[in-house]
Amino acid sequence: LQRRHQKVIEEAPAPGMDTATREAICAAAVRAAKAVDYEGAGTIEFIADASEGLRADRIFFMEMNTRLQVEHPVTEEITGVDLVEWQLRVASGEPLPKRQEELSINGHAIEARLYAEDPAKGFLPSTGRITWFEILAPNRTETGIEKGDMISPFYDPMIAKVVVHADNRGNAVKALTKACAQTQVLGVKTNAGFLARLVGHPQFAAEALDTGFIDRFQSDLTVADELHDRLLDDAATVLLSTNLNPTNSWHPPSIAYSYFDRFESDPWRQNYGFRLNADWDHIIAMNVDGKTVLQNLPDDYFTRRIEGARSADGVAVFRGGEALKVKNRWDGTGQASAADGAIIAPMPGKVIAVDVVEGQTVTAGQRLMVLEAMKMEHALAAPFDGVVEGLSVSAGGQVQVEAVLCRVV
C-alpha cells in the first residue's frame, strides 16, 4: 500500500500470487541481473495489472535498484536469512551462504512504516523532540530514534519500521494491528493510529489491495470522533486525579492504570463534583492545542484504566495508536491566526517558490507560495480575496513552524 507514491505497508509473500507467477517473476529478475553481469544485493521492481488477478503476462519490469530496500525485513522474516549480512559478505568477495534451491518461504511477514507526520492535517511532516517513544508487541522494530532525539525537517519523516511475522497472513495482520495500536510517541505527531486502522481495515484483511487503497478508504482511516472523545475522557480523568493528588508519582504510560486506586476508601474523593443544593458538576477544563475544551468526566472515571502519564504542565494519554497531550494551564501566545488573513507556516521547511509580490492583489484559493520538508511539498493559498502585505520570505529561505509568512488583507 502506498500514499503519494511512497510505500506505507509492505508484505511478503505477495497476497494473491500463485507459485507459477512467482517463479516467472523471479526468473525474469535473474535474467535482468545476469544481462548486466550484476553481483551483489539488488532489487528488481515490477508493476502489475491485477484487474484480472496476478498473472505473469500482466506483470511488467519497472526498475532495478542496486541495493537493498526499506522492505527487506519482510523477505528476511519469511526466508530466515540476513540480507544485510549477505550484502557485506558478497561485497567482501565471499560466496553466497546458500543457493537458490536451499531457500524456502515460511509464514507471512508485514511491515509498517512509522512516520513523523500528522494524518489529520493532510500528512504534514511533524518535527520536534521525542519525549516518549515506545513500540509494544511487534516481532521486530528497526529504528535509529530514541527518546530525547530531535526530529528535524531535513530528512525523510520515517522514524521506524514495525515488522511482524506469523504462520499465516491472518495472524500477521492481527499482530501488526495490535503493534501499531500500542505504539506510543510524544513530542511529534505520528501515523501510528492511522496504520492500526489501515491494517485493521476489512478490505485489507480480504486482500483487496492496490496502490489506490489509501485514497479510496481515506475517510475510514482518519481519526474517528468516538476515539477522539475517548481520549478526551481519558485526559479529563487523569487531570482530575492530578488535581486531587498532585504528589502521585509518575509511571510508565505503557501500563493501563487506574488513577483513583488509592482513593477507594475516601468518600470525599469518590464524590467528586458534589455541590450542596445544586446539580453535580463533572466538567474538567483543559487546554488542547491552545484551545479551551470543557469535557464532562466519563461515568466510569473512578475505575477507568488508562494508558497515560503526567508532565509538568499537563497529561498525555494514549489509545489505539493515537496520543493526546493536554495542558491544565493557559499561556497567551500573542500569535497571529489564519482568521485575520495571516499565512502561517504549517511546518518547518524550505520555501521553494513564491508566486506573489508585496502589494499584489490575489483571489481566494490562489497559490501564494510552496514549502518543502521531508520530501513533501505543501502549497499555501489565499484564504480570501485581498492584497498581499508583510511578505517576509523568498525562494530558498528556511522557515519555522507557525511563522507568519505574509498576510492577505
Side-chain angles (χ1 to χ4, degrees):
L1 301 185
Q2 64 183 42
R3 180 183 58 79
R4 294 175 182 159
H5 309 294
Q6 187 81 351
K7 285 173 263 187
V8 178
I9 300 289
E10 295 131 332
E11 59 181 304
M17 181 177 288
D18 58 33
T19 301
T21 303
R22 179 175 293 106
E23 289 179 352
I25 293 175
C26 288
V30 170
R31 289 196 302 273
K34 285 183 175 180
V36 293
D37 295 326
Y38 184 76
E39 292 184 10
T43 309
I44 310 289
E45 292 197 25
F46 298 86
I47 189 165
D49 174 2
S51 57
E52 300 178 9
L54 290 179
R55 293 175 10 205
D57 62 346
R58 305 292 292 272
I59 298 175
F60 311 95
F61 173 83
M62 186 167 70
E63 66 180 11
M64 178 176 183
N65 290 288
T66 54
R67 55 178 170 81
L68 295 180
Q69 302 224 123
V70 174
E71 61 271 23
H72 76 267
V74 293
T75 303
E76 293 183 335
E77 291 293 326
I78 65 170
T79 58
V81 302
D82 186 335
L83 293 177
V84 176
E85 177 186 343
W86 282 26
Q87 182 182 31
L88 295 173
R89 289 188 179 279
V90 172
S92 300
E94 298 181 24
L96 286 172
K98 290 185 178 181
R99 298 184 61 82
Q100 182 68 32
E101 57 270 18
E102 297 179 87
L103 298 175
S104 61
I105 293 176
N106 300 292
H108 200 95
I110 313 178
E111 170 185 298
R113 299 190 186 192
L114 182 67
Y115 286 113
E117 63 185 11
D118 189 352
K121 294 183 178 179
F123 300 93
L124 283 178
S126 179
T127 60
R129 189 170 299 281
I130 300 287
T131 57
W132 179 261
F133 185 60
E134 185 162 344
I135 301 176
L136 306 175
N139 298 104
R140 172 175 178 174
T141 301
E142 296 198 350
T143 183
I145 302 298
E146 59 185 15
K147 186 169 69 172
D149 285 349
M150 178 67 73
I151 303 300
S152 79
F154 305 116
Y155 303 98
D156 185 280
M158 186 173 64
I159 57 177
K161 295 185 286 184
V162 184
V163 188
V164 298
H165 177 258
D167 55 352
N168 58 58
R169 186 177 188 270
N171 288 336
V173 168
K174 291 177 183 177
L176 185 57
T177 303
K178 179 179 179 181
C180 293
Q182 292 185 323
T183 293
Q184 300 175 346
V185 182
L186 285 179
V188 297
K189 300 284 188 179
T190 76
N191 65 334
F194 171 84
L195 291 172
R197 293 183 290 276
L198 177 59
V199 182
H201 196 281
Q203 291 299 303
F204 183 84
E207 300 183 7
L209 310 177
D210 59 64
T211 54
F213 185 99
I214 290 177
D215 290 338
R216 189 162 60 254
F217 296 108
Q218 184 72 53
S219 60
D220 297 343
L221 304 174
T222 54
V223 179
D225 291 340
E226 179 184 358
L227 175 58
H228 185 67
D229 289 343
R230 293 176 72 185
L231 284 166
L232 290 173
D233 286 344
D234 290 346
T237 301
V238 181
L239 274 180
L240 172 63
S241 76
T242 301
N243 293 332
L244 294 179
N245 188 8
T247 61
N248 196 6
S249 60
W250 183 90
H251 61 87
S254 55
I255 301 174
Y257 179 84
S258 175
Y259 280 78
F260 290 87
D261 283 347
R262 63 180 61 195
F263 298 155
E264 289 181 359
S265 61
D266 189 334
W268 300 107
R269 310 278 188 172
Q270 294 184 35
N271 289 322
Y272 171 76
F274 171 79
R275 295 190 297 169
L276 184 64
N277 299 324
D279 292 334
W280 288 56
D281 183 359
H282 282 165
I283 296 177
I284 298 292
M286 302 180 292
N287 180 345
V288 182
D289 294 332
K291 299 178 181 179
T292 299
V293 174
L294 302 178
Q295 184 72 10
N296 280 301
L297 277 174
D299 293 337
D300 65 345
Y301 79 91
F302 199 76
T303 57
R304 193 179 186 92
R305 302 191 71 82
I306 301 165
E307 294 180 9
R310 299 173 175 179
S311 61
D313 58 352
V315 301
V317 290
F318 304 93
R319 188 178 288 270
E322 300 294 340
L324 178 66
K325 177 77 180 292
V326 303
K327 294 183 178 181
N328 53 7
R329 72 184 189 197
W330 282 259
D331 299 322
T333 63
Q335 290 185 346
S337 69
D340 61 10
I343 306 302
I344 301 170
M347 60 186 183
K350 180 180 180 180
V351 180
I352 61 172
V354 178
D355 302 317
V356 294
V357 296
E358 183 75 14
Q360 180 176 334
T361 300
V362 295
T363 58
Q366 181 177 337
R367 195 178 86 171
L368 306 177
M369 62 191 72
V370 179
L371 299 184
E372 180 186 55
M374 293 179 169
K375 299 169 65 175
M376 177 179 177
E377 294 183 1
H378 183 74
L380 300 177
F384 42 73
D385 295 351
V387 177
V388 175
E389 287 189 358
L391 184 62
S392 60
V393 295
S394 59
Q398 292 285 337
V399 298
Q400 295 301 313
V401 64
E402 296 185 352
V404 177
L405 309 178
C406 69
R407 278 185 168 83
V408 176
V409 296

